[in-house]
Amino acid sequence: MNILRIDSSPMKEASISRELNDVLQKKLESQGHLITGTRDLYYDELVSLGDKERYSAFFTPSENLTDVQRTEIEGSNELAIEFAAADAYIIGVPMYNFTVTAALKTYIDLISRAGISFNYTPEGPVGLLKNKKVYAIISTGGTPVGSEVDFVSPYLKTLFGFLGITDVTFIAADLTSQSREASIEKATKAIDAL
Ligand SMILES: Cc1cc2nc3c(=O)[nH]c(=O)nc-3n(C[C@H](O)[C@H](O)[C@H](O)COP(=O)(O)O)c2cc1C
């Protein structure tokens, strides 16, 4: 499998999802899989948040695009094509206010593109990303993954399903504020068992 690794924590050394993404990467590499791309959503400075010019670009005829909008679309094309080309994804997902970080949400907006990752059809939208696998490590402070206020896992399951990806494995590194060590140990065991 060609794997795209995505990190979306603004924390660096202190980040639990990054630490566990390293463990997961090593595990999958030991099984003969390759990391063929990495995206570090805050540190690669791929995304500037809250950019109204970006979103209007998708609804503007190409002859009317500003230079900024053209650059935005080219950047989105690059990310969406890269995403569509991978066989699998390992994604570090910190929970922020019960959902994903702003950078991960913006990245999702950039890679979810009609004609690349899904198509509109008379029967409704159809995901184009088939036979792919997602591993998502969800790190939280006090919210249990799978609880009724965990909006990360149902959101990601719905989003990836919309894009055609039904094979989604969540690895919980939750309740880190109670015990960082216990949370990392639990998640590491889950990774070992993959
Ligand atoms: C702005 C912000 C919002 C957060 N919101 C939540 C939350 O809703 N629920 C929760 O359990 N933890 C929350 N946390 C704690 C993080 O999920 C926790 O620190 C996690 O380890 C972050 O992942 P990271 O270590 O990879 O950065 C929040 C942290 C920050 C900074």
Side-chain angles (χ1 to χ4, degrees):
M1 287 193 304
N2 291 335
I3 301 173
L4 176 61
R5 171 177 171 158
I6 299 160
D7 287 286
S8 67
S9 172
M11 308 294 278
K12 272 265 178 176
E13 282 71 29
S15 162
I16 291 167
S17 61
R18 285 175 189 274
E19 185 175 330
L20 289 165
N21 237 3
D22 287 342
V23 176
L24 178 55
Q25 174 173 340
K26 285 202 185 85
K27 170 77 184 182
L28 295 174
E29 283 174 337
S30 77
Q31 295 175 340
H33 304 300
L34 285 178
I35 304 292
T36 49
T38 57
R39 290 290 179 186
D40 194 332
L41 301 187
Y42 280 100
Y43 290 90
D44 290 349
E45 293 179 7
L46 293 175
V47 292
S48 60
L49 303 175
D51 188 332
K52 65 180 186 305
E53 209 164 357
R54 162 184 303 140
Y55 294 109
S56 59
F58 296 119
F59 305 101
T60 304
S62 63
E63 64 275 15
N64 296 340
L65 289 171
T66 65
D67 288 346
V68 171
Q69 286 176 319
R70 213 173 286 283
T71 304
E72 290 293 348
I73 291 206
E74 283 164 8
S76 169
N77 286 348
E78 184 187 333
L79 293 176
I81 290 166
E82 174 185 72
F83 194 86
D87 303 314
Y89 313 88
I90 64 176
I91 313 179
V93 189
M95 177 185 283
Y96 272 21
N97 295 307
F98 307 104
T99 186
V100 301
T101 57
L104 180 56
K105 177 59 172 58
T106 302
Y107 177 74
I108 287 168
D109 292 341
L110 292 171
I111 56 118
S112 304
R113 291 281 306 284
I116 302 176
S117 39
F118 69 96
N119 265 340
Y120 291 112
T121 74
E123 290 75 42
V126 173
L128 296 176
L129 307 184
K130 300 292 183 198
N131 303 315
K132 297 179 189 290
K133 182 161 184 53
V134 170
Y135 300 92
I137 294 168
I138 304 175
S139 51
T140 83
T143 305
V145 169
S147 69
E148 62 181 14
V149 291
D150 160 25
F151 295 99
V152 175
S153 52
Y155 167 61
L156 290 180
K157 212 168 175 9
T158 301
L159 179 269
F160 290 124
F162 175 75
L163 300 180
I165 307 172
T166 51
D167 188 349
V168 181
T169 299
F170 293 113
I171 295 148
D174 52 0
L175 310 179
T176 58
S177 57
Q178 285 174 21
S179 168
R180 182 187 169 100
E181 291 69 33
S183 174
I184 288 177
E185 196 184 322
K186 181 180 78 167
T188 303
K189 274 194 187 137
I191 292 168
D192 278 347
L194 290 174

